């Protein structure tokens, strides 16, 4: 039996100041899948993630989570913005980990994780603390729960950010170039956590330039080019048998990691 579609996008468009950034994105993410967006900077990957998480308002098309339109409802053929309460409830079902860690500097690692649990989900302090301890342990930071962000390395801060997002029990977890701000030696520890989440069945939509990691963990890969999906398919097809010239050129930047680089 096929897993249900958790996230569905149809004809999603977005413009900034007259520049069309998204030109009709179609995408399906099945429950339990890891789907990756790759492409050059400016191709629309991050903008699409921000539309999914309601940090940007898409101009046209439709994004559905569990079959429910995100951000808007149709009323007599017009798109009507949902109430802020409803938007907040939808956003709570979607976790996002950013390029920058976005931790609260005055809170400890544990405090950063428990804040959303108490303020958004209404958990008691005791329950929130138990959940925080569980997820900080899962990301290898149980010994650092009382430390503030300035006392942690970049990789450790990003792992706190991941623990914070997962602790909210989102239906979908978004990752936006989460290793791009890290020194190379810290990248592996974050990718290890992400790989563990993927193996546990977490539904993930990620943007990354870590191509070997994308190839390893993804069930489906989409190559975006100038705001459109130029190529999509399983990793073996996208990376090893690319027929699109722009995709071959893009993969060729990664120093011979893939057969496409010699094409």
């Amino acid at each position: 039996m096929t897993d249900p579609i958790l996230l569905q996008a149809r004809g999603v468009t977005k413009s900034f100041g007259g520049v069309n950034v998204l030109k009709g994105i179609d995408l399906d993410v099945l429950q339990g899948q890891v789907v990756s967006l790759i492409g050059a900077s400016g191709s629309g990957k991050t903008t699409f993630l921000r539309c999914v998480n309601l940090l940007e308002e898409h101009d046209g098309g439709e994004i559905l989570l569990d079959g429910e339109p995100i951000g808007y409802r149709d009323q007599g053929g017009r798109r009507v913005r949902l109430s802020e309460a409803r938007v907040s409830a939808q956003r709570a079902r979607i976790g996002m980990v950013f390029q920058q860690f976005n931790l609260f500097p005055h809170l400890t690692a544990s405090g950063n994780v428990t804040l959303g649990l108490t303020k958004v989900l209404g958990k008691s302090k005791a329950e929130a603390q138990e959940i925080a301890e569980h997820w900080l342990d899962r990301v290898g930071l149980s010994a650092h729960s009382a430390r503030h962000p300035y006392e942690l390395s970049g990789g450790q801060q990003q792992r706190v950010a991941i623990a914070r997002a997962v602790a909210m029990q989102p239906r979908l977890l978004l990752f936006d170039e989460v290793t791009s701000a890290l020194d190379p030696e810290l990248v592996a520890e974050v990718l290890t956590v992400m790989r563990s989440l993927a193996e546990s069945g977490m539904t993930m939509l990620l943007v990354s330039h870590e191509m070997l990691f994308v190839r390893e963990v993804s069930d489906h890969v989409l190559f975006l080019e100038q705001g459109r999906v130029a190529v999509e398919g399983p990793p073996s097809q996208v990376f090893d048998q690319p027929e699109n010239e722009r995709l071959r050129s893009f993969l060729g930047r990664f120093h011979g990691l893939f057969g496409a680089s010699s094409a």
Side-chain angles (χ1 to χ4, degrees):
M1 183 176 179
T2 304
D3 291 325
I5 296 175
L6 179 64
L7 178 73
Q8 187 173 50
R10 290 292 178 266
V12 175
T13 61
K14 176 66 181 178
S15 297
F16 293 103
V19 177
N20 296 325
V21 179
L22 301 178
K23 303 173 183 177
I25 300 294
D26 294 333
L27 172 148
D28 289 338
V29 180
L30 303 182
Q31 187 169 313
Q33 266 194 330
V34 177
V35 174
S36 295
L37 306 179
I38 64 172
S41 297
S43 59
K45 307 181 303 296
T46 291
T47 297
F48 180 74
L49 284 193
R50 291 177 63 85
C51 288
V52 170
N53 202 34
L54 300 169
L55 295 175
E56 298 285 355
E57 296 187 8
H58 55 288
D59 300 326
E62 193 171 44
I63 303 174
L64 300 98
L65 183 69
D66 284 320
E68 177 185 353
I70 290 177
Y72 301 90
R73 60 182 172 84
D74 182 82
Q75 182 174 303
R78 294 187 304 110
R79 285 202 320 159
V80 178
R81 175 80 171 178
L82 297 175
S83 68
E84 286 307 310
R86 188 64 201 138
V87 168
S88 295
Q90 291 182 332
R91 189 178 284 126
R93 295 157 60 195
I94 305 171
M96 187 163 182
V97 185
F98 299 86
Q99 297 178 35
Q100 303 300 325
F101 320 125
N102 292 345
L103 299 178
F104 293 103
H106 64 290
L107 297 178
T108 63
S110 178
N112 269 280
V113 179
T114 60
L115 184 64
L117 294 169
T118 56
K119 298 296 185 182
V120 178
L121 298 186
K123 304 285 187 184
S124 69
K125 289 184 178 180
E127 185 180 7
Q129 188 63 41
E130 183 178 346
I131 294 170
E133 289 175 0
H134 168 76
W135 283 109
L136 287 171
D137 182 61
R138 277 287 303 273
V139 301
L141 292 175
S142 57
H144 303 294
S145 63
R147 294 189 178 182
H148 289 79
Y150 67 86
E151 299 176 290
L152 302 172
S153 70
Q156 290 170 333
Q157 290 184 61
Q158 193 61 289
R159 283 187 279 157
V160 172
I162 293 172
R164 177 178 60 182
V166 181
M168 298 291 287
Q169 295 184 305
R171 295 282 290 144
L172 173 69
L173 196 54
L174 310 177
F175 291 91
D176 182 20
E177 293 283 14
V178 297
T179 60
S180 65
L182 300 177
D183 292 333
E185 64 268 22
L186 301 178
V187 170
E189 65 186 61
V190 174
L191 295 183
T192 296
V193 171
M194 294 173 64
R195 184 180 294 107
S196 175
L197 291 174
E199 292 171 351
S200 73
M202 172 66 69
T203 308
M204 297 162 54
L205 178 60
L206 62 95
V207 167
S208 179
H209 279 104
E210 300 288 342
M211 292 296 114
L212 288 177
F213 176 75
V214 167
R215 191 191 189 288
E216 176 186 349
V217 304
S218 302
D219 298 296
H220 198 74
V221 179
L222 295 92
F223 171 64
L224 269 60
E225 173 71 16
Q226 297 183 350
R228 292 188 172 91
V229 178
V231 178
E232 64 174 303
S236 58
Q237 175 184 323
V238 171
F239 288 103
D240 300 337
Q241 305 169 34
E243 297 181 357
N244 180 283
E245 177 59 35
R246 298 304 295 267
L247 174 58
R248 288 199 298 270
S249 175
F250 173 76
L251 294 177
R253 304 174 188 178
F254 294 94
H255 309 294
L257 292 177
F258 309 102
S261 61
S262 62

